[in-house]
Amino acid sequence: MFILFPMQMYGDHEFPGKLFIVEGIDGSGKSTQLSLLQQWLKREGYMVFFSEWNSSPLVKQTTSRGKRKQMLTPTTFSLLHATDLADRIERHIIPPLKAGAIVLADRYIYTAFARDTARGVSPHWVRELYRFAVKPTIAFYFRVPLDVSLKRILGARAGLKYYEAGMDLGLSDDVEESFELFQGMIRDRYEGMIDEFGLRVIDATRSIEEQQNEVRAIVERELGDVPKHPLPHFAFPEYLLNG
Ligand code: ADP
């Protein structure tokens, strides 16, 4: 059988820094784990930068307006997110990697692959679109059953938003039911990407501490040649240090 290895299309970067990213459905606990990892790495003396999905000032207003007015189609939604990541990769992720720092990203290309294809975008098209992305050192996938994540997310939040619940897919008129169906589709896609991209699976049903210990052990093994001292400030643009 002919097997494709699409990950080889992405930049296997040769920068001295390391890029760790987290993925998983809403409520899998990935942000909690990344935040704890960041605190630990800083305490250990590493220079750490954090970048979050959908946070580039370049497209923020357009995305917000598109969401508010429910104007986004699967394609325009996908292109906006790709622009968001392209901007953050060029301005926030590659400069620290070049300088030998650690970059942590909450969601990465796999979020686009899972969500956009659930919305009907071509899997091949979206993978091609993100060819500009550098390959993460480790991509963690926090695997959790739907009922566990739903309980966590609904317990922590006041309500669900239109696009987050996948209401644009017309799966159900009930926002909670739509959310559940949409998250299920996304979870199936994550499961399908484990082998395709070598995602590192973390059993996210366990306690926060147990997971964090495992994540730290995996990250620690990758840090052999990463300098512990803060890197010289001149290596970074001002917006990276103050942002
Ligand atoms: P995500 O970023 O995947 O959406 P969060 O890290 O924001 O998830 O966590 C969602 C909610 O679940 C938060 O209220 C968080 O405190 C809680 N949570 C995270 N990890 C666990 C865990 N292992 N066990 C129980 N609750 C958790």
Side-chain angles (χ1 to χ4, degrees):
M1 195 175 74
F2 182 65
I3 300 173
L4 276 174
F5 293 101
M7 199 63 217
Q8 289 169 0
M9 299 189 309
Y10 303 109
D12 248 332
H13 75 81
E14 309 219 326
F15 307 128
K18 304 285 178 187
L19 172 63
F20 300 102
I21 70 101
V22 295
E23 291 280 359
I25 56 174
D26 288 341
S28 56
K30 59 190 174 307
S31 308
T32 304
Q33 292 298 326
L34 198 64
S35 163
L36 291 169
L37 181 67
Q38 180 175 16
Q39 289 167 30
W40 174 68
L41 288 168
K42 280 187 171 170
R43 275 202 309 277
E44 291 288 306
Y46 292 106
M47 185 91 173
V48 188
F49 292 86
F50 171 78
S51 189
E52 192 175 14
W53 191 248
N54 201 20
S55 65
S56 157
L58 194 61
V59 287
K60 211 178 182 123
Q61 279 186 349
T62 309
T63 312
S64 301
R65 195 158 59 94
K67 283 182 177 173
R68 203 171 50 246
K69 302 199 168 183
Q70 297 177 9
M71 286 164 68
L72 298 169
T73 67
T75 308
T76 54
F77 211 167
S78 184
L79 289 169
L80 283 174
H81 281 133
T83 306
D84 172 87
L85 186 64
D87 180 46
R88 289 185 295 112
I89 283 186
E90 283 170 33
R91 285 162 22 92
H92 294 250
I93 294 180
I94 288 181
L97 289 178
K98 277 187 177 165
I102 296 172
V103 182
L104 305 178
D106 193 337
R107 297 189 172 281
Y108 203 60
I109 53 175
Y110 315 103
T111 284
F113 298 168
R115 286 184 182 167
D116 295 353
T117 61
R119 292 200 153 91
V121 165
S122 147
H124 176 71
W125 182 83
V126 72
R127 281 160 173 74
E128 284 290 308
L129 177 63
Y130 279 93
R131 276 182 67 159
F132 59 80
V134 293
K135 185 181 170 185
T137 309
I138 304 276
F140 290 102
Y141 164 47
F142 291 85
R143 177 192 259 161
V144 73
L146 270 184
D147 58 326
V148 175
S149 67
L150 283 173
K151 213 184 303 168
R152 284 182 194 165
I153 198 102
L154 295 174
R157 293 249 201 108
L160 296 163
K161 295 177 198 152
Y162 182 85
Y163 283 102
E164 151 183 88
M167 291 295 281
D168 56 315
L169 275 78
L171 302 168
S172 166
D173 290 339
D174 179 73
V175 70
E176 227 170 88
E177 191 184 346
S178 173
F179 181 73
E180 202 167 335
L181 291 168
F182 185 48
Q183 293 295 315
M185 291 166 77
I186 289 170
R187 183 170 195 270
D188 292 345
R189 281 160 176 78
Y190 274 131
E191 292 292 321
M193 286 192 283
I194 294 169
D195 290 339
E196 184 183 358
F197 295 108
L199 305 182
R200 190 67 65 95
V201 181
I202 302 292
D203 175 359
T205 59
R206 294 172 301 160
S207 73
I208 290 174
E209 194 184 355
E210 274 176 299
Q211 292 179 59
Q212 183 62 199
N213 288 339
E214 186 183 357
V215 167
R216 285 182 193 178
I218 293 168
V219 166
E220 200 165 23
R221 285 199 287 275
E222 302 292 334
L223 299 181
D225 49 359
V226 176
K228 270 210 170 178
H229 321 288
L231 295 152
H233 275 209
F234 59 77
F236 301 104
E238 268 303 303
Y239 66 81
L240 269 179
L241 296 165
N242 301 325

